[in-house]
Structure formats: structure tokens, C-alpha cells
Amino acid sequence: MKIYGLQKTTLVDYPGHVATTLFTGGCNFRCPYCHNGDLVLDLKEIEPYAMEDIFSHLKKRKGVLDGVVISGGEPTLQADLPDFIRQIKAMGYLIKLDTNGSNPAMLCSLVEEGLLDYVAMDIKHSRSKYAGITNSTAFSLDDIAASVDYLKEGHVDYEFRTTLCKELHQETDITAIGLWLMGAKAYYLQPYKESDQVIQPGFHPHDKETLESFVHILSAFIPKVEIRGLD
């Protein structure tokens, strides 16, 4: 298991909990607005953490931290992810997984073994525009849809979330996403923020009024819709 990033303490990555966030490297998508481009494109320039350092940190923080967030990159690309989570769970930590949903078999297996306490799945776009935004030859809409359907069945606490760019996401797209996710538990809209590590700079967030109009549209399909990270 290779961990390329570590945020020792976060109050926002795991709702309602104090957590550490671990970032795996590599992703099967190339979404242009991704703000973790270094973890997707430039792994040769980053030295992974030694596993003993990761577990030493978690041991020292027991009693302070509630959980561990495993993010990326795309964590489910790591074949040894299940064993890694087993070791952390054995320490008494809650586990939140951030995923793009492209590996439903891994997702289901982790949930059914009781290794996950919370899942945040990124919804990149409406079904008809999904392939275009991922820029991936390995993309399968069937796999994404399988992960969506599985989470909606309520096997584990979860949320869906979308990073929105003014240049990429329009009102018709939001309606289409709402129809697709209808009946989901919770959906969070995250306005785009420029960063030094973004894969393709130059995107912009929607204004607050537009985001609130999206919330209104989506609320017809999903009971809990909120904007997260609005300045």
C-alpha cells in the first residue's frame, strides 16, 4: 500500500468526526478540474510514506482522532486496500472512503466485510457527459451506475458529491443528475476552487445564486442537498 499524502488532522473531511486523511496515488480518470493532479500525474516526483510512519502516527493519535479518511487519487485501484483498512480498523478507527465509484466490486466487498463506515462517491457529471469529463479509456458507465445503485440501497452511510465548474456544468446537467440520483440520501455541491495542482487551470465556480438554484432543482429528487465549501 502506497500513501503519498497525509493530512494529520481534519475537521471537515469526515462529517462529524476528527480524522486523519491519507492520500493514495494514481487514478484511472483524468478529470481536467482535479485539484490533486500531482497524485494523478506526477507520482515519480513524490516519495511515498513509510508504512511504519503512518501507523506510528495513528497509534500516537488514538483517543484524539475518531477516524481515518482514505482518499486519492483513487484508493480502490490499490489491490492491498482491504488489508490496509483491516489493520486500521483493528486499531479502533472509523473508516471513510473517498471514491470515484469505478470499482464496484471492491466497494461492495469492503462494505460487506464491514470495513467501511462512510463512503463519499464523486459524481462527475450527468450520465451522457460522464465519459467526456473523465478522459479515460478505462471508463465504464456501467461500473459507475453499479456503485451508485449499491450505495443507494443503504448498505453503508454515504453521500454523493459533485465539484461544479461554470464551464462544464449547466442547469440541464443538474436536472439530469437529479433524475439519476433520485432517492439518494445526501448530495453535496462543491464549487470549483483553483489550486496549484489542478490538472487543467482556468475553470471557474458558479456564483452563489446559481448554486442555490441548483440546490432548488435537486431538492425535488433528493431530500438533503447542500453546498459545501462556499466562501
Side-chain angles (χ1 to χ4, degrees):
M1 189 74 186
K2 291 186 177 181
I3 301 297
Y4 289 90
L6 167 65
Q7 185 176 355
K8 291 186 175 181
T9 305
T10 174
L11 301 177
V12 298
D13 288 351
Y14 194 157
H17 297 285
V18 181
T20 276
T21 302
L22 306 176
F23 296 90
T24 64
C27 187
N28 49 344
F29 292 173
R30 295 292 184 271
C31 306
Y33 56 78
C34 176
H35 67 274
N36 285 340
D38 55 335
L39 297 176
V40 174
L41 303 175
D42 301 320
L43 286 182
K44 292 181 180 179
E45 305 298 321
I46 307 174
E47 187 71 22
Y49 283 82
M51 282 295 98
E52 54 264 31
D53 292 339
I54 296 293
F55 285 105
S56 174
H57 164 68
L58 295 178
K59 289 176 183 176
K60 290 178 181 177
R61 301 294 283 174
K62 285 191 69 174
V64 177
L65 300 172
D66 304 316
V68 175
V69 178
I70 302 177
S71 191
E74 174 49 41
T76 63
L77 296 179
Q78 309 295 321
D80 47 358
L81 178 63
D83 186 59
F84 182 62
I85 295 177
R86 289 184 195 108
Q87 295 179 67
I88 299 175
K89 288 288 282 185
M91 300 173 70
Y93 284 111
L94 300 171
I95 299 291
K96 172 179 178 270
L97 176 70
D98 293 344
T99 181
N100 62 22
S102 62
N103 191 345
M106 171 78 82
L107 175 62
C108 295
S109 177
L110 292 172
V111 171
E112 289 167 10
E113 192 179 331
L115 295 178
L116 302 181
D117 300 284
Y118 195 91
V119 176
M121 178 177 164
D122 291 314
I123 301 296
K124 305 299 184 180
H125 217 305
S126 60
R127 293 169 64 103
S128 64
K129 296 183 179 180
Y130 225 105
I133 208 167
T134 63
N135 296 302
S136 171
T137 57
F139 171 77
S140 166
L141 184 60
D142 288 342
D143 286 343
I144 301 297
S147 293
V148 167
D149 291 344
Y150 181 76
L151 290 175
K152 285 171 65 176
E153 289 171 1
H155 303 280
V156 66
D157 201 6
Y158 73 95
E159 66 180 52
F160 296 119
R161 60 190 188 182
T162 298
T163 297
L164 296 172
C165 303
K166 184 164 61 175
E167 293 82 1
L168 299 174
H169 301 93
Q170 311 304 320
E171 182 176 311
T172 53
D173 303 317
I174 298 303
T175 301
I177 292 172
L179 286 165
W180 179 22
L181 301 183
M182 184 184 299
K185 178 182 177 181
Y187 185 34
Y188 292 91
L189 307 182
Q190 302 173 162
Y192 171 81
K193 291 184 179 181
E194 191 80 358
S195 77
D196 291 338
Q197 301 299 336
V198 69
I199 289 181
Q200 181 181 321
F203 294 104
H204 301 86
H206 297 84
D207 58 40
K208 182 179 180 180
E209 181 179 347
T210 300
L211 290 169
E212 289 176 343
S213 73
F214 290 168
V215 170
H216 178 72
I217 291 169
L218 291 162
S219 294
F221 309 107
I222 302 165
K224 183 177 183 179
V225 182
E226 296 180 3
I227 303 168
R228 176 182 285 156
L230 186 63
D231 293 331

